[in-house]
Amino acid sequence: MAHVVPLEHKQIAYVSYDPEERSLVVAYHRGASIRHLSIDWEQFQCVLDASNKVDELIKLLSRLTPATRRIGTS
């Protein structure tokens, strides 16, 4: 079951995390989405617990390698 977190951001609409796939999807208001693979629950939990979820998400994404990304549309 995916966990969806809406974000108050001008570019990012929401993020969702699928614990079975260990994947994080960042969905943008314009319709694009990027799936990041090999994300642990603890990494996503840091985003959930943060007072500024967008900042924490950006920190997480900056630590990922390009090999973990799959670009698609929502």
Side-chain angles (χ1 to χ4, degrees):
M1 177 180 184
H3 301 272
V4 179
V5 179
L7 297 175
E8 293 184 22
H9 190 263
K10 63 181 181 180
Q11 295 177 356
I12 303 171
Y14 66 88
V15 294
S16 66
Y17 180 77
D18 186 329
E20 291 179 15
E21 292 184 1
R22 292 181 55 228
S23 66
L24 176 76
V25 174
V26 179
Y28 295 87
H29 288 293
R30 293 186 177 223
S33 63
I34 300 176
R35 180 180 304 272
H36 300 273
L37 307 174
S38 301
I39 306 296
D40 294 323
W41 171 256
E42 292 79 15
Q43 293 172 294
F44 182 65
Q45 188 69 50
C46 288
V47 174
L48 291 178
D49 293 343
S51 59
N52 188 328
K53 291 175 179 38
V54 173
D55 282 352
E56 193 62 35
L57 175 65
I58 299 304
K59 287 179 196 174
L60 170 60
L61 297 178
S62 70
R63 293 189 299 264
L64 301 177
T65 64
T68 65
R69 296 184 200 145
R70 299 291 182 264
I71 299 172
T73 57
S74 46

